[in-house]
Amino acid sequence: MNISLINNDTVSGIVKMVVEKKDYEVQVEKQLRQYRQKANIPGFRKGMVSMGMIRKLYGKQLLAEEVNKCILENLTNYIRTSGIRILGEPLPSEMEQQPIDFDTQDDFEFYFDIAFSPQVDIKLTKNDILTYYKINVDDAMLQEQIDNYCRSYGSPAAAEDIEASDFVKGILSELDENNAPKEDGILVTEAVLIPENIKSDDERNKFIGAKLNDAVVFNPGRAYSGATAEIASLLKTDMEHASKINSDFRFEVKEISRHKNAELNQELFSRIFSDSTVTTEEEFREKVKLSLDDQLKIESEYKLQLDMRAFLIEKTGDVVFADDILKRWLLTNKDNTPETVEKNFPKVIDDLKFNLAKEHIISTNGLQIDEIDIENTAKEATKEQFAQYGMLSLPDYMVERYARNLLEKKEMHDEITERARYDKLISWVKDQIKVETKEISHEEFTKLLA
């Protein structure tokens, strides 16, 4: 086996591989003998087929398979041990590769195009400036969060008259042209509706203000603007039947249930902050404000990471890539087309530049992570995940348990490990440059991300 690198230019090269008969003949002969022992060919006893016939039937196939194995194993090993840094995968050379004939050739030459990974040199100083946007928690945001908690931890309560958002149960019966119960008409003894879901203002208003045991006459077809699925759900019938119904119905109100917000009291304080000693409304508001600060900090850090990514991409300078080879490599993904590759290629280049900058900084400065870093990152990910559902003060044992569960899954372990590496990178870059803090409102911050 003879492998060599033929440099085309600074961004690409060609790997030449010569596969000789001695590289594959022993393995091919071994495979042929195994085929002979297993071959079940009419007219021959098993294992008694001549090697000549086996070679004629399977020799070309086995030769091609063994040559391909040689290519795969040796090409991969050559790139790894030679220290060549490439992007993507080697591709059969469009210019150099000649046709291969497994019927007549014993030795074969293969040529592969490779795209070199460019070298970058990132220099950072205190003259490099990024802005960290600290989002202020104003009174309106704080009150909105408290109102959300009160709604989320509220409970249903009985009401005497109907409001638009109430949950209403009753007996629903189809009427004839005389407004009397229709013989063999639809009867639903436990009908359920919410007035605000009714599309027609006129039909909805018939329910608003109605009291227990009142009877409301309305038309489901007009109420739901002919939406067959909603009509069928209300009338407990099939879609075909529902599409043909145009009768009025009587709804006898039997139960009105209204959501009642939780009160600002000790029960609510303890449910939201189970591991704290919040006992007053003032302490509760301060605790909610701190939790909002923590949540908004995640958004601020995310924005800083976006800006840092753009900053590092710019720091790579005018890096040149082997665009033609990279585009061909992208097309090996069956989901890509020439059109999508061209459209997305600028983003691909930005991604490559960022990864080059990231790996250069990590390797040059010896930024290593250990298991403690990975575990701490998993804990942070756990806290962020539960915070999305309003669970802000998980006990330490629960955080540790869920973090361990995350790390037991290989895919999540790899993702969290990469996040830990990235966090280490972010922290190091922050120390090398100047990060200025600017306080802004959440509305202003949202505009920055638009």
Side-chain angles (χ1 to χ4, degrees):
M1 178 73 63
N2 185 3
I3 307 179
S4 58
L5 175 65
I6 306 172
N7 278 321
N8 279 2
D9 49 46
T10 59
V11 298
S12 66
I14 297 175
V15 174
K16 178 182 178 182
M17 175 182 291
V18 178
V19 180
E20 300 174 314
K21 187 174 183 179
K22 63 182 181 180
D23 297 320
Y24 60 79
E25 64 178 341
V26 172
Q27 192 61 27
V28 169
E29 289 300 317
K30 178 181 177 181
Q31 292 291 332
L32 286 170
R33 288 194 297 272
Q34 291 178 352
Y35 266 61
R36 184 188 182 205
Q37 293 172 358
K38 299 175 182 178
N40 190 3
I41 298 175
F44 295 89
R45 285 186 296 170
K46 188 173 181 179
M48 299 302 293
V49 183
S50 68
M51 280 296 292
M53 179 172 288
I54 293 295
R55 196 181 305 278
K56 181 178 180 181
L57 290 173
Y58 304 111
K60 183 178 179 179
Q61 171 192 335
L62 292 175
L63 171 60
E65 289 177 358
E66 290 304 320
V67 169
N68 283 329
K69 285 181 183 179
C70 285
I71 293 172
L72 180 61
E73 293 172 3
N74 290 279
L75 180 59
T76 301
N77 185 61
Y78 172 74
I79 291 174
R80 183 178 67 251
T81 58
S82 66
I84 302 172
R85 297 173 65 246
I86 71 169
L87 299 174
E89 299 290 339
L91 300 172
S93 178
E94 292 183 332
M95 298 295 294
E96 299 293 333
Q97 186 62 56
Q98 300 298 313
I100 297 296
D101 188 345
F102 288 108
D103 288 322
T104 60
Q105 291 179 245
D106 289 330
D107 298 337
F108 309 92
E109 289 185 358
F110 296 94
Y111 296 85
F112 297 91
D113 293 330
I114 56 174
F116 295 139
S117 179
Q119 297 291 325
V120 297
D121 187 16
I122 309 296
K123 303 292 187 184
L124 303 178
T125 72
K126 291 298 181 181
N127 292 324
D128 296 311
I129 302 173
L130 288 178
T131 301
Y132 176 83
Y133 296 97
K134 184 181 183 303
I135 307 169
N136 290 325
V137 179
D138 57 28
D139 292 341
M141 183 184 296
L142 175 60
Q143 189 58 50
E144 181 182 3
Q145 183 62 40
I146 291 174
D147 291 343
N148 287 337
Y149 283 139
C150 290
R151 279 192 296 271
S152 298
Y153 287 89
S155 58
E160 294 297 324
D161 54 1
I162 298 175
E163 294 181 359
S165 59
D166 289 344
F167 189 81
V168 185
K169 289 185 178 181
I171 301 172
L172 186 63
S173 53
E174 187 175 5
L175 302 178
D176 60 21
E177 61 274 10
N178 298 315
N179 276 344
K182 184 177 182 179
E183 186 176 353
D184 297 327
I186 291 176
L187 176 65
V188 182
T189 57
E190 292 187 353
V192 175
L193 59 78
I194 299 174
E196 68 181 2
N197 292 340
I198 294 175
K199 296 178 171 61
S200 165
D201 292 342
D202 291 338
E203 298 298 313
R204 184 191 314 112
N205 289 336
K206 293 178 180 179
F207 286 90
I208 305 303
K211 302 181 183 301
L212 287 172
N213 298 316
D214 281 355
V216 178
V217 176
F218 77 116
N219 186 287
R222 290 196 297 271
Y224 295 98
S225 302
T228 306
E230 295 177 64
I231 297 169
S233 176
L234 174 67
L235 303 182
K236 301 290 192 292
T237 187
D238 58 67
M239 300 272 283
E240 182 179 358
H241 190 190
S243 66
K244 299 174 182 178
I245 293 174
N246 55 20
S247 309
D248 285 344
F249 280 72
R250 177 185 290 121
F251 192 105
E252 297 178 45
V253 180
K254 295 301 180 183
E255 183 179 328
I256 306 171
S257 180
R258 182 172 303 156
H259 181 82
K260 182 181 178 182
N261 287 348
E263 296 181 5
L264 287 174
N265 54 27
Q266 188 61 52
E267 181 182 358
L268 179 64
F269 304 159
S270 298
R271 291 180 70 182
I272 296 175
F273 299 109
S274 58
D275 63 346
S276 73
T277 56
V278 175
T279 58
T280 67
E281 182 176 338
E282 183 180 0
E283 292 173 345
F284 177 70
R285 298 180 72 88
E286 183 60 29
K287 190 78 172 177
V288 172
K289 185 176 185 300
L290 290 174
S291 70
L292 280 173
D293 280 332
D294 288 341
Q295 293 176 54
L296 294 174
K297 182 180 178 182
I298 296 173
E299 296 186 38
S300 296
E301 289 290 343
Y302 173 69
K303 170 61 176 169
L304 181 62
Q305 289 182 20
L306 290 180
D307 292 344
M308 190 173 290
R309 183 180 188 277
F311 164 73
L312 291 177
I313 288 172
E314 183 180 357
K315 279 289 184 179
T316 61
D318 297 325
V319 180
V320 181
F321 295 91
D323 291 358
D324 56 336
I325 297 177
L326 291 176
K327 289 177 181 179
R328 283 170 51 204
W329 170 62
L330 292 171
L331 285 172
T332 61
N333 183 330
K334 64 180 181 181
D335 294 329
N336 287 334
T337 65
E339 293 75 21
T340 59
V341 167
E342 285 297 331
K343 178 181 178 182
N344 297 326
F345 197 65
K347 182 180 181 302
V348 172
I349 293 299
D350 277 351
D351 289 343
L352 289 175
K353 285 184 175 182
F354 174 67
N355 281 318
L356 287 174
K358 181 178 69 173
E359 295 305 323
H360 168 77
I361 291 173
I362 289 174
S363 61
T364 302
N365 298 283
L367 305 183
Q368 302 296 325
I369 61 170
D370 53 27
E371 284 303 316
I372 294 178
D373 294 320
I374 296 172
E375 290 171 7
N376 288 336
T377 302
K379 290 176 184 178
E380 287 301 314
T382 297
K383 291 177 182 178
E384 291 170 11
Q385 183 176 346
F386 278 96
Q388 294 176 3
Y389 302 101
M391 302 175 68
L392 306 177
S393 55
L394 291 177
D396 289 343
Y397 78 87
M398 187 176 292
V399 173
E400 292 175 2
R401 185 178 69 193
Y402 276 96
R404 284 197 302 271
N405 289 342
L406 283 177
L407 294 175
E408 286 175 357
K409 303 171 185 175
K410 184 182 184 306
E411 183 177 343
M412 288 304 302
H413 190 285
D414 293 345
E415 183 178 321
I416 289 171
T417 299
E418 184 57 30
R419 174 173 165 176
R421 291 180 78 240
Y422 190 40
D423 288 347
K424 182 80 75 172
L425 169 76
I426 295 290
S427 179
W428 185 87
V429 173
K430 282 182 182 179
D431 289 339
Q432 308 307 308
I433 66 174
K434 184 177 181 180
V435 179
E436 297 179 338
T437 299
K438 180 179 180 180
E439 296 189 8
I440 62 173
S441 69
H442 193 262
E443 182 180 1
E444 291 173 318
F445 182 82
T446 301
K447 291 178 181 178
L448 289 176
L449 293 176

